[in-house]
Amino acid sequence: MKKAVYSICGMCTVRCPIYVESENDRVTWIEGNPHLLGGALCAKGSAGPALREDHERPQQPLIRVGARGAGRWREASWEEALDYVAEKLADIKAEHGAESVVLSSRGGPWQSMYKAFIHAFGSPNYTNHDCTCGRNTHHASLSINGVGRKGFAYDIKNANHLVLFGRDMFSSLRIAENIQTLDMLDNGGRLTYVDVRQTNTGVKATRFFQVRPGTDYALALGVIHQVIAKGYYDQQFVDRYVSDFRSLMDFVEQYTPAWAAAECGVKEKDIIDFVEEIGQDRPKVIFHPGWNLSRYRDSFYASRALHILNILMGNIEIKGGLFIPKGAGDCGVKGIRNIDCGKPDIKRGDGVGWKYTHFDKGPGLAHLFFNNMLKGDPYPIKAWIAMRHDPLSGMPDPEEQKKAFDTCDLLVAIDTNYSEFGWYADVILPESTYLERDTPICQQKGLKPRLAVRRKAVEPKYDTKASWEIFKQLADRLDIGEHFPYNTIDELWAWQLEPTGITMADFEEKGFVELTDSPIYYDRDALDSQFKTPSGKLEMVSEKLNGVELPSLKPYVSPDKPEKGMFRLIYGRTAIHTHGHTTNNPLLSELMPTNTLWLNKREAKKMDINDGDWVEVASNDGFYRATVQATLTDHLHPEAVFTFHGFGRDIPRQTRNFMAGVSDQKLMRGKLDDWDQAGGAINLCEVFVSVKKSIRNRTGRGTL
Ligand SMILES: Nc1nc2c(c(=O)[nH]1)N[C@H]1C(S)=C(S)[C@@H](COP(=O)(O)OP(=O)(O)OC[C@H]3O[C@@H](n4cnc5c(=O)[nH]c(N)nc54)[C@H](O)[C@@H]3O)O[C@H]1N2
Ligand SMILES: Nc1nc2c(c(=O)[nH]1)N[C@H]1C(S)=C(S)[C@@H](COP(=O)(O)OP(=O)(O)OC[C@H]3O[C@@H](n4cnc5c(=O)[nH]c(N)nc54)[C@H](O)[C@@H]3O)O[C@H]1N2
Ligand code: SF4
Ligand SMILES: [Mo]
């Protein structure tokens, strides 16, 4: 039987809209939703059907029988596995209190359901991946704009100039954004790209700045200095909406382009020429703060500098600039309902909200649990549920994490794959792949907000369930089922849509429902209520930061240089994989079976390393070592080595990526505890490793 559905890709968390055809319960065609993406899809999205067919994923619930991590499992029915988890959770709650359970997830549009579960259970400890992703950028935005990093979206297509700092968008894909950027370039727009190495994005750029690792803040300060000196900013916008602008002017006085050039290794003339370009191109100039801005000690401040540059361009709420994403209310219609439950009034176990008052309490900061777990402070943590999150792969120093996880009586992974955390856990609850499951309806905010929904294209191949079923069935067992008012997905959808007057039939034509016909912009002269800062202004100096004795305008400090024989470890993404969870995909592992270690050619020659040679890379304490092949390039800063994240995995049931390449997170020894006190995120780029030629290379005796 043939079937066709519009749905939402799940091969990464960008969640592009897709169109899928199937015949006799096998996917026969997959493409980007033609109404939104013109059919475009990335390699990972195209490899979704291979994930569905892959037998090297958990096929039914598994309960651990051997030691943690030993890989000895008992196959269990769903009844048995859910009873097991629910009973353990109830016991832990009775003995230690509900707050001793943490649930981490990957955030996103369906997180309200996972949050509702843990809150209804009685614990405030919902957390997510973001301390390793966009937290610095998020907190930087909050401190200036009063709204987080999702408080603005970008009209790249209509921009004159897009500026990206370490946002390698043609590797770290978002298909809609990629299409917009290509359109912008076709329309004569300019792209400036800043990185420590050349990338897929850098080669498409009209201007490429190669900087010394960790010096973005210097470059951004030099640019701000020159923008102000030349008067290339929107005086009216600044007068109307910005507070403490004088403090900013005084602060950047010292940071001239000549100073910035010496610090970051870009020519002074190039910085001045760049500022002339943005002077011409403004206000349609977008400084995209991305997620990472890489994770250095001062990334929070570097990120603040980019937010400030957007404000100086006066690009907020104009075509070709930044806009405030609109929701149902802006369209004069009612929004959908989401599963929800208020947070219990108990101190968080990571200290966010009471020990650390300047951070967003929402998901807290996952890494701050670990030390507290070891000390049982402020209370013991006895269970950790990871829902579509792999702390052992996505957070640094898995061996240190395991010590903390060992204080728990229960570790549960809800995952489509064997994650590194799942392999160490006590129970794996396998979720059906995105092609085999429906999900709740979600609202996607934007200039034209819409509702979207994921629809099952094929039936589950194995004995797996969707997360809406898993949480409902766990909730029923724990007597909190009333927060999940449905039995089937149809009932859930009907409940969500009830206030809106929209029906599921309205999704049939295109796969989504737009809440407005034309884009909505706010009146630029009446944006006052949009900035949720204490003063209602865009704050150059933040009271909240003052309150915790952190500067808002922080003097620049040069990053450390590596010691002799050491290099700064830089990581990034490839367009072929999503973190570590596609490296065992039957198709994608064939396209890219391993990573390599990139070395600057001249540095490599000094160590007698040639392209393709085996090298040994070791963590600063020598605890973790890996042997990988070297890729030599002229286009990487000599202080750094680079590798793609997602490899070096050692789960025996994943035979295709088993022990392939090097794991960057295992090289990050001691980094769980090295984090940015102002931005909250882990300093993943403050890592130094040693590199030497491996004895595995061909020797005079002809061995390999
Ligand atoms: N194909 C693919 N796409 C993805 C993902 C994926 O896993 N695979 N993941 C998604 C996720 S979760 C995210 S957060 C985004 C991430 O999207 P990006 O932020 O674009 O992520 P990365 O590829 O990690 O890019 C980091 C870049 O920072 C550079 N860098 C390192 N140090 C410095 C420095 O000091 N200064 C500057 N300017 N650059 C530096 C690195 O060389 C690298 O090119 O991508 C999303 N898209
Ligand atoms: N060393 C180092 N650390 C990093 C990074 C890095 O580049 N280097 N990148 C950082 C960034 S930007 C991020 S966002 C984080 C990402 O860290 P995580 O959020 O942990 O990473 P993912 O690999 O996206 O997904 C986590 C798990 O979700 C599972 N999963 C995938 N699809 C589904 C699904 O449909 N349902 C369920 N239940 N599970 C699913 C995957 O199998 C995987 O085990 O890592 C961060 N940490
Ligand atoms: S970027 Fe690729 S993998 Fe990610 S959601 Fe879009 S199509 Fe899927
Ligand atoms: Mo991320």
Side-chain angles (χ1 to χ4, degrees):
M1 202 186 69
K2 285 190 181 180
K3 188 177 156 187
V5 291
Y6 289 107
S7 188
I8 299 178
C9 182
M11 290 297 282
C12 82
T13 41
V14 169
R15 303 176 199 91
C16 296
I18 52 172
Y19 167 78
V20 191
E21 290 176 355
S22 61
E23 191 169 351
N24 297 332
D25 215 30
R26 278 182 87 93
V27 176
T28 49
W29 180 250
I30 187 163
E31 65 175 347
N33 185 328
H35 303 290
L36 291 168
L37 297 179
L41 202 64
C42 79
K44 300 174 294 158
S46 310
L51 165 69
R52 196 262 178 164
E53 299 307 321
D54 188 4
H55 62 276
E56 293 192 357
R57 60 181 170 101
Q59 300 183 9
Q60 65 284 303
L62 298 172
I63 298 176
R64 176 174 68 83
V65 288
R68 277 192 178 147
R72 292 185 49 225
W73 300 98
R74 168 163 69 83
E75 293 170 4
S77 67
W78 276 96
E79 281 297 306
E80 188 189 354
L82 292 171
D83 284 348
Y84 180 92
V85 172
E87 273 165 32
K88 283 255 179 193
L89 286 175
D91 289 350
I92 289 169
K93 185 173 177 171
E95 195 174 335
H96 302 280
E99 65 276 16
S100 63
V101 180
V102 174
L103 186 146
S104 67
S105 91
R106 184 53 204 278
W110 298 293
Q111 62 178 306
S112 64
M113 176 177 282
Y114 324 137
K115 242 190 227 178
F117 174 81
I118 195 70
H119 288 172
F121 179 74
S123 170
N125 291 320
Y126 169 77
T127 191
N128 72 11
H129 69 293
D130 211 33
C131 63
T132 51
C133 182
R135 267 302 98 161
N136 284 335
T137 325
H138 177 75
H139 284 138
S141 179
L142 267 178
S143 72
I144 292 177
N145 306 312
V147 290
R149 70 188 162 98
K150 293 188 182 149
F152 294 106
Y154 312 95
D155 182 15
I156 295 173
K157 182 178 176 174
N158 296 305
N160 291 334
H161 202 143
L162 175 65
V163 188
L164 301 171
F165 279 65
R167 163 77 189 103
D168 181 13
M169 65 148 65
F170 287 101
S171 305
S172 300
L173 304 166
R174 294 166 77 86
I175 302 296
E177 201 172 77
N178 298 129
I179 294 173
Q180 282 209 29
T181 307
L182 294 174
D183 285 348
M184 179 203 77
L185 288 169
D186 282 348
N187 295 337
R190 296 193 254 224
L191 173 62
T192 292
Y193 186 67
V194 185
D195 204 310
V196 300
R197 63 182 184 114
Q198 187 50 287
T199 61
N200 284 351
T201 311
V203 293
K204 286 197 167 50
T206 39
R207 182 181 284 285
F208 171 58
F209 285 144
Q210 188 184 61
V211 289
R212 185 182 159 222
T215 60
D216 298 75
Y217 187 35
L219 179 59
L221 287 173
V223 172
I224 295 176
H225 172 105
Q226 187 69 1
V227 162
I228 293 178
K230 298 288 285 196
Y232 293 159
Y233 62 94
D234 186 333
Q235 182 83 52
Q236 257 184 330
F237 188 84
V238 167
D239 289 348
R240 175 90 173 73
Y241 293 118
V242 175
S243 65
D244 289 310
F245 187 60
R246 186 76 243 172
S247 306
L248 175 73
M249 287 174 88
D250 293 346
F251 173 67
V252 295
E253 185 66 45
Q254 57 188 311
Y255 298 120
T256 61
W259 168 86
E263 189 53 41
C264 63
V266 171
K267 289 196 184 99
E268 178 191 4
K269 180 176 177 307
D270 290 346
I271 300 177
I272 291 172
D273 288 352
F274 166 65
V275 174
E276 288 304 312
E277 281 178 12
I278 57 173
Q280 291 161 16
D281 295 339
R282 79 198 165 96
K284 297 185 177 189
V285 179
I286 297 175
F287 284 81
H288 191 313
W291 291 266
N292 310 335
L293 197 53
S294 304
R295 288 72 162 205
Y296 293 86
R297 282 193 300 240
D298 62 3
S299 293
F300 172 76
Y301 292 98
S303 187
R304 272 179 60 92
L306 297 197
H307 289 298
I308 288 173
L309 277 162
N310 278 322
I311 293 167
L312 296 180
M313 297 295 104
N315 63 12
I316 294 174
E317 216 54 26
I318 56 159
K319 207 171 171 194
L322 267 55
F323 61 88
I324 298 164
K326 315 299 180 312
D330 298 296
C331 308
V333 298
K334 287 225 163 78
I336 51 167
R337 282 186 189 138
N338 280 316
I339 303 291
D340 197 14
C341 175
K343 183 152 123 183
D345 188 17
I346 302 174
K347 280 181 177 176
R348 289 185 61 94
D350 55 4
V352 174
W354 54 280
K355 194 165 169 193
Y356 308 107
T357 51
H358 57 301
F359 296 134
D360 180 351
K361 293 199 281 279
L365 291 166
H367 60 98
L368 296 184
F369 279 103
F370 293 109
N371 248 337
N372 294 355
M373 284 161 84
L374 288 170
K375 289 187 271 177
D377 172 33
Y379 42 74
I381 296 296
K382 287 290 166 190
W384 189 298
I385 304 171
M387 161 66 210
R388 207 212 176 290
H389 181 220
D390 188 358
L392 292 180
S393 161
M395 299 182 70
D397 205 345
E399 288 312 309
E400 255 333 279
Q401 288 183 56
K402 284 178 189 170
K403 288 183 195 159
F405 284 136
D406 282 344
T407 66
C408 290
D409 296 338
L410 180 68
L411 302 175
V412 181
I414 305 175
D415 207 298
T416 40
N417 297 294
Y418 292 107
S419 63
E420 307 244 21
F421 176 85
W423 196 248
Y424 196 71
D426 306 320
V427 183
I428 299 178
L429 300 177
E431 182 161 29
S432 308
T433 68
Y434 71 99
L435 290 166
E436 306 167 303
R437 70 176 196 257
D438 301 301
T439 44
I441 298 162
C442 57
Q443 179 183 249
Q444 298 173 336
K445 286 183 157 190
L447 282 175
K448 288 174 79 178
R450 55 177 178 249
L451 302 181
V453 64
R454 179 179 281 148
R455 305 295 298 260
K456 201 191 260 195
V458 285
E459 290 303 315
K461 181 169 174 166
Y462 301 117
D463 187 13
T464 57
K465 284 188 192 292
S467 49
W468 62 265
E469 295 172 276
I470 299 174
F471 282 103
K472 166 73 178 163
Q473 293 179 14
L474 273 179
D476 282 345
R477 285 169 166 78
L478 290 161
D479 295 329
I480 50 174
E482 76 273 14
H483 295 278
F484 297 76
Y486 59 84
N487 289 306
T488 63
I489 192 75
D490 291 313
E491 282 176 21
L492 174 53
W493 285 333
W495 177 83
Q496 285 192 283
L497 287 176
E498 199 191 74
T500 67
I502 294 166
T503 66
M504 287 313 288
D506 298 323
F507 290 84
E508 293 296 325
E509 192 190 339
K510 294 179 177 172
F512 56 92
V513 177
E514 276 177 332
L515 302 180
T516 169
D517 293 332
S518 37
I520 303 173
Y521 286 95
Y522 291 146
D523 177 358
R524 231 172 141 260
D525 294 326
L527 290 175
D528 307 71
S529 60
Q530 300 299 335
F531 312 125
K532 316 280 185 215
T533 51
S535 64
K537 298 270 187 198
L538 297 161
E539 295 182 346
M540 298 298 104
V541 175
S542 154
E543 282 303 313
K544 217 171 186 180
L545 290 176
N546 283 347
V548 289
E549 293 179 16
L550 285 167
S552 296
L553 300 164
K554 185 167 177 278
Y556 178 79
V557 179
S558 203
D560 294 340
K561 281 204 189 310
E563 286 171 20
K564 203 170 168 345
M566 306 286 282
F567 296 87
R568 194 181 277 271
L569 176 69
I570 304 294
Y571 58 82
R573 325 223 169 289
T574 152
I576 296 169
H577 287 299
T578 304
H579 304 286
H581 73 78
T582 58
T583 49
N584 198 53
N585 179 286
L587 289 178
L588 298 173
S589 64
E590 208 175 298
L591 275 181
M592 183 174 171
T594 185
N595 60 2
T596 59
L597 192 74
W598 292 26
L599 292 157
N600 174 284
K601 210 179 251 173
R602 266 172 301 139
E603 293 300 314
K605 290 288 167 215
K606 288 185 205 163
M607 295 184 283
D608 189 31
I609 295 169
N610 295 307
D611 194 51
D613 276 355
W614 293 95
V615 293
E616 191 179 296
V617 50
S619 57
N620 57 358
D621 61 356
F623 180 84
Y624 175 70
R625 290 168 191 279
T627 307
V628 274
Q629 284 184 286
T631 298
L632 303 199
T633 170
D634 291 320
H635 305 288
L636 167 68
H637 195 279
E639 282 181 19
V641 291
F642 171 85
T643 195
F644 291 112
H645 178 56
F647 289 90
R649 291 165 75 92
D650 48 10
I651 300 167
R653 287 196 191 179
Q654 295 185 330
T655 58
R656 303 174 204 106
N657 69 359
F658 185 66
M659 304 287 266
V662 54
S663 153
D664 53 341
Q665 72 271 16
K666 289 181 188 163
L667 286 166
M668 297 175 175
R669 293 280 294 162
K671 289 294 137 179
L672 266 182
D673 234 1
D674 180 0
W675 55 283
D676 181 337
Q677 305 288 318
I682 305 179
N683 295 332
L684 293 176
C685 289
E686 299 286 355
V687 173
F688 294 94
V689 294
S690 63
V691 179
K692 63 178 185 194
K693 193 167 174 169
S694 164
I695 51 163
R696 196 167 156 187
N697 294 296
R698 190 175 287 276
T699 66
R701 279 166 288 165
T703 52
L704 192 75

